[in-house]
Amino acid sequence: MGEGLLARMRRGLERTGQHLRDRLGVAGGRMRLDEASWEALEAALLEADVGVRTTELALRDVRERARRHAAGAPGAGGAPEVWALLRAALIERLGPPARLASNPTGTTAVLVVGVNGAGKTTTAAKLAFRFKAEGGYPILACADTFRAAAAEQLAAWARRLGVDCVCHAPGGDPAAVAFDALKAAAARGAGAVIVDTAGRLHTRQNLMEELGKVARVMGRALPGAPHEVLLVLDATTGQNGLQQARQFRDAAGVTGVALVKLDGTARGGVALAIREELGIPVKLAGVGEGLDDLLDFDPAAFVDALIGAAGGAEGGEA
Ligand code: GDP
């Protein structure tokens, strides 16, 4: 993935990093490791949407490491060290990089879920673009049969990408669309099927159940499908995203998150909360509206973008 995309994510999260640094006074002077500094750090992480539990666990970890560090090396334990310890603790909590699942023996089926406006359709198109760029033959499927506009939007992306699109008439059965798309993929030798779904309000139980049905029916058309249930989360919704993720996980067995709109938020910390509290890895990062604005999520690069370069303006090397 290009430098340019990473730079965009950095710019988006820059505000968070700046905020954290300002809070700690790292840019202006040296962080004092007193209670007030720890409290400021805690407040800054909470404001970045890292979440109460995750913030608490990470800071406990950092304090413990800082204590051990200082004991082993008198004079250590200043701001650059703490910054390095914080960086390491956050990266560790995100876990190793997780990639989108694939089906090595046939069509890879991806079910894209999320609330309205999150960025599902755009992310589905970006995924089709990626599969095509890798030499595959993707099919887009519109399982949002509630809105005619949804099918039109997806079909427009398909035309632009030069890929096939499976759509049914409005009011049709969403599961039937997914089923047909997988059958079409088998007949045409398509490497991937990306199923876009309706913006199911997570508060509407019947819609969530229907999402579970779409997944089950996909499994009947192709054993093992869907290989990936990708929840598209708008990073700008912050902690609300955690509640959404929990609902979608329970209804549809989410296997990965695409955290999008990271190019325009100071609240990307929700990635940490999702991993910590739900055990779901963030696999992709959306950093713009263009087709190539989708990155494999890289925990270390993300944390660097989130908390800023080590020691901020001090230019530390952590
Ligand atoms: P859906 O209702 O979940 O299908 O959402 P859409 O895919 O229609 O996206 C809603 C809006 O979010 C559109 O204006 C997209 O261009 C925009 N969008 C999606 N992903 C990103 C992203 O990573 N960054 C930015 N800045 N905008 C995005």
Side-chain angles (χ1 to χ4, degrees):
M1 284 285 148
E3 252 282 297
L5 297 181
L6 262 182
R8 241 171 292 167
M9 184 172 86
R10 270 179 192 281
R11 259 203 312 282
L13 291 172
E14 178 65 20
R15 275 182 280 154
T16 313
Q18 193 59 52
H19 185 68
L20 286 170
R21 287 194 296 278
D22 289 351
R23 281 285 201 153
L24 294 175
V26 171
R30 288 188 64 81
M31 176 181 168
R32 295 180 318 281
L33 290 179
D34 51 15
E35 270 319 301
S37 290
W38 288 112
E39 274 167 26
L41 182 53
E42 180 180 36
L45 289 172
L46 289 175
E47 276 174 39
D49 272 323
V50 171
V52 175
R53 196 173 121 80
T54 309
T55 296
E56 204 175 288
L57 289 172
L59 283 187
R60 195 186 301 162
D61 192 13
V62 174
R63 289 181 81 142
E64 180 52 37
R65 290 184 203 210
R67 241 194 312 277
R68 265 185 275 135
H69 211 70
E81 284 95 325
V82 170
W83 210 257
L85 296 175
L86 175 65
R87 177 179 182 269
L90 295 181
I91 291 172
E92 222 169 85
R93 303 208 95 80
L94 281 170
R99 296 289 163 257
L100 209 65
S102 66
N103 175 12
T105 59
T107 305
T108 296
V110 183
L111 181 62
V112 181
V113 303
V115 300
N116 257 337
K120 285 182 307 298
T121 305
T122 310
T123 304
K126 288 174 178 175
L127 278 175
F129 175 77
R130 171 189 280 221
F131 278 114
K132 198 179 173 196
E134 288 168 355
Y137 168 44
I139 292 179
L140 283 167
C142 182
D144 181 353
T145 53
F146 296 101
R147 297 181 308 129
E152 282 157 23
Q153 194 189 348
L154 198 68
W157 277 115
R159 273 196 302 280
R160 198 172 142 194
L161 287 161
V163 305
D164 287 345
C165 185
V166 174
C167 296
H168 285 187
D173 178 2
V177 179
F179 188 89
D180 283 357
L182 284 170
K183 289 300 170 194
R188 299 172 205 171
V193 166
I194 301 143
V195 181
D196 193 13
T197 57
R200 282 147 217 287
L201 293 174
H202 53 287
T203 46
R204 292 182 59 185
Q205 183 63 26
N206 56 334
L207 291 177
M208 295 303 269
E209 277 165 12
E210 193 172 76
L211 204 50
K213 180 183 160 198
V214 173
R216 283 195 302 280
V217 168
M218 286 174 77
R220 284 205 282 276
L222 174 67
H227 304 93
E228 185 79 53
V229 179
L230 188 68
L231 173 66
V232 177
L233 268 189
D234 178 342
T236 65
T237 59
Q239 282 290 302
N240 257 339
L242 190 64
Q243 186 56 18
Q244 281 173 29
R246 187 172 283 122
Q247 304 268 358
F248 278 99
R249 178 195 63 179
D250 294 347
V254 172
T255 55
V257 168
L259 194 60
V260 306
K261 305 187 192 175
L262 279 173
D263 50 315
T265 181
R267 313 180 70 190
V270 72
L272 282 145
I274 289 166
R275 177 77 215 210
E276 184 83 49
E277 298 194 22
L278 306 180
I280 306 172
V282 177
K283 296 187 172 178
L284 297 166
V287 293
E289 297 182 87
L291 282 168
D292 64 352
D293 289 333
L294 190 67
L295 299 169
D296 282 333
F297 184 80
D298 174 345
F302 174 79
V303 168
D304 283 342
L306 185 71
I307 67 172
E314 302 254 296
E317 257 312 290

